Amino acid sequence: DVKVTQSSRYLVKRTGEKVFLECVQDMDHENMFWYRQDPGLGLRLIYFSYDVKMKEKGDIPEGYSVSREKKERFSLILESASTNQTSMYLCASSFAGGIHQPQHFGDGTRLSIL
Amino acid sequence: DQQVKQNSPSLSVQEGRISILNCDYTNSMFDYFLWYKKYPAEGPTFLISISSIKDKNEDGRFTVFLNKSAKHLSLHIVPSQPGDSAVYFCAASVDTGNQFYFGTGTSLTVIP
């Protein structure tokens, strides 16, 4: 069974801090994704990566960056956290073969920026 | 601008009856559609998908219908079970353009 593990379930940070959200998958998936989920807006794609050191912007990349140094790990970075980045963050992974491949999700990190 | 819309935030159905969840989209370039189910405090799990070259795909109790001319898809669950109570998200992608969008979700409650 695919396991996507997000490093924290809950995280509280202060405005202006640099925040790292970590995600690890154990199924040798090529694609990895970061989403945020907000009430009334569903899941919105922030960034995705289809290979090591490769990244593509999603729908809402502003204020975020990502890092993929190893195939199994995909990090989301908030360069200078702001209160409007308080949200649920979800990581996902999938096999190569197109962005439409079914994605396997982690359980999410609820991030609060004070 | 929401490219994938689920206009019903919630739906309640009696156990054993059919649940129909609807999804509308605006981009005619979408070529693949998926449904995910999400329980509280868990990430979404993939349920069923359909390519734009088909109009129906079935997997057990779950069937997805696609009407390209109306830019509409629906998920049918028959018969509905209490364990189906969850939030359901539809998603759409443009494979060559690396675009992927989720809807806002519909919360399904199946009443025993």
Side-chain angles (χ1 to χ4, degrees), chain A residues 9 35 37 40-43 45 48 59 90 97-103 105-107, chain B residues 2 32 34 36 38 41-44 46 89 93-95 98-104:
Chain A
R9 289 302 299 268
Y35 295 88
Q37 182 186 3
L41 296 176
L43 279 75
L45 182 62
F48 68 97
D59 211 21
L90 290 157
I99 199 170
H100 65 272
Q101 293 293 327
Q103 296 174 29
F105 283 82
D107 287 338
Chain B
Q2 199 76 25
Y32 219 86
L34 305 93
Y36 285 82
K38 185 182 185 300
E42 295 182 13
F46 169 71
F89 292 95
S93 70
V94 180
D95 206 30
N98 279 333
Q99 297 177 51
F100 195 87
Y101 297 96
F102 275 88
T104 52

Side-chain angles (χ1 to χ4, degrees), chain B residues 20-63:
Chain B
I20 300 176
L21 297 100
N22 294 304
C23 181
D24 296 296
Y25 60 96
T26 57
N27 188 345
S28 59
M29 298 297 291
F30 286 143
D31 51 12
Y32 219 86
F33 303 88
L34 305 93
W35 283 94
Y36 285 82
K37 177 166 89 170
K38 185 182 185 300
Y39 292 118
E42 295 182 13
T45 55
F46 169 71
L47 201 53
I48 192 169
S49 63
I50 188 167
S51 163
S52 60
I53 62 172
K54 294 186 175 182
D55 54 19
K56 177 182 174 181
N57 188 27
E58 196 170 350
D59 184 3
R61 296 186 297 113
F62 302 91
T63 303

Side-chain angles (χ1 to χ4, degrees), chain B residues 52-112:
Chain B
S52 60
I53 62 172
K54 294 186 175 182
D55 54 19
K56 177 182 174 181
N57 188 27
E58 196 170 350
D59 184 3
R61 296 186 297 113
F62 302 91
T63 303
V64 57
F65 295 92
L66 176 62
N67 182 334
K68 287 190 292 293
S69 61
K71 295 191 182 72
H72 177 83
L73 68 155
S74 60
L75 174 69
H76 293 210
I77 307 173
V78 184
S80 302
Q81 299 173 355
D84 296 329
S85 298
V87 178
Y88 290 78
F89 292 95
C90 65
S93 70
V94 180
D95 206 30
T96 54
N98 279 333
Q99 297 177 51
F100 195 87
Y101 297 96
F102 275 88
T104 52
T106 296
S107 178
L108 172 66
T109 302
V110 180
I111 304 162

Side-chain angles (χ1 to χ4, degrees), chain A residues 16-112:
Chain A
E17 279 193 69
K18 191 169 186 175
V19 181
F20 294 85
L21 301 183
E22 307 286 347
C23 175
V24 177
Q25 51 95 2
D26 66 359
M27 278 301 292
D28 204 34
H29 282 167
E30 287 79 11
N31 299 333
M32 295 190 75
F33 306 81
W34 275 106
Y35 295 88
R36 61 179 283 177
Q37 182 186 3
D38 300 288
L41 296 176
L43 279 75
R44 292 180 293 165
L45 182 62
I46 304 171
Y47 268 98
F48 68 97
S49 167
Y50 53 88
D51 202 352
V52 175
K53 296 192 186 296
M54 306 301 290
K55 62 183 179 183
E56 294 282 346
K57 292 180 180 179
D59 211 21
I60 51 164
E62 297 79 19
Y64 303 94
S65 62
V66 289
S67 172
R68 191 158 180 211
E69 296 296 318
K70 294 184 178 181
K71 190 175 185 180
E72 68 271 17
R73 186 179 295 269
F74 192 34
S75 303
L76 179 70
I77 304 153
L78 286 65
E79 296 290 343
S80 178
S82 63
T83 54
N84 62 12
Q85 292 178 309
T86 291
S87 186
M88 169 69 82
Y89 289 86
L90 290 157
C91 174
S93 69
S94 71
F95 286 114
I99 199 170
H100 65 272
Q101 293 293 327
Q103 296 174 29
H104 300 263
F105 283 82
D107 287 338
T109 296
R110 186 164 292 283
L111 175 64
S112 296

